[in-house]
């Protein structure tokens, strides 16, 4: 139990942030698992859309501070490697210069 008005407010803020972060984390995990599943089934159109959504969700979560930037980067990298291995032509990966 908070002893001061300030600590009570901080507790309320923490609860709000925790609820918001839980929603964002859950959505990110769902997007990531859907992308992996779509890539593994080798359905090109579904995989492309799910891949883009997963990258977007991870980047957004990292920019909001919900997950660390390094973790998002690692997951994006691993998802990209999986996609390149399974469907390189369907996802139109461009050669680096």
């Amino acid at each position: 139990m908070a002893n001061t008005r300030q600590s009570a407010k901080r507790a309320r803020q923490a609860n709000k942030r925790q609820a918001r972060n839980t929603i964002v984390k859950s959505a990110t995990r769902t997007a990531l698992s859907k992308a992996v599943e779509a890539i593994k089934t080798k359905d090109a159109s579904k995989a492309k859309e799910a891949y883009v959504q997963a990258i977007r969700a991870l980047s957004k979560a990292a920019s909001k501070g919900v997950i660390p930037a390094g973790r998002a980067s690692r997951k994006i990298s691993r998802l990209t490697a999986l996609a390149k291995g399974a469907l390189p032509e369907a996802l139109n990966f461009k050669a680096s210069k």
Side-chain angles (χ1 to χ4, degrees), residues 68-84:
R71 184 183 307 162
S73 178
R74 182 176 64 246
K75 288 182 181 285
I76 289 170
S77 177
R78 288 177 181 173
L79 182 63
T80 301
L82 180 69
K84 277 186 177 182

Side-chain angles (χ1 to χ4, degrees), residues 16-85:
K16 276 186 187 178
R17 288 188 185 109
Q18 182 182 17
R20 187 167 49 238
N21 290 348
T22 301
I23 290 166
V24 173
K25 278 184 191 179
S26 177
T28 303
R29 279 195 299 264
T30 301
L32 190 59
S33 64
K34 282 184 180 180
V36 169
E37 185 180 327
I39 290 168
K40 285 186 177 179
T41 60
K42 299 196 186 239
D43 181 4
S45 60
K46 255 176 80 174
K48 184 171 177 66
E49 186 177 332
Y51 173 80
V52 171
Q53 290 295 325
I55 300 297
R56 186 169 188 263
L58 284 164
S59 298
K60 254 183 133 171
S63 69
K64 289 180 179 185
V66 175
I67 62 172
R71 184 183 307 162
S73 178
R74 182 176 64 246
K75 288 182 181 285
I76 289 170
S77 177
R78 288 177 181 173
L79 182 63
T80 301
L82 180 69
K84 277 186 177 182

Side-chain angles (χ1 to χ4, degrees), residues 37 46-47 50 62 72 75 78 83 87-88 91-93 96-97:
E37 185 180 327
K46 255 176 80 174
K75 288 182 181 285
R78 288 177 181 173
L87 301 163
L91 297 175
N92 295 330
F93 288 107
S96 59
K97 294 179 182 176

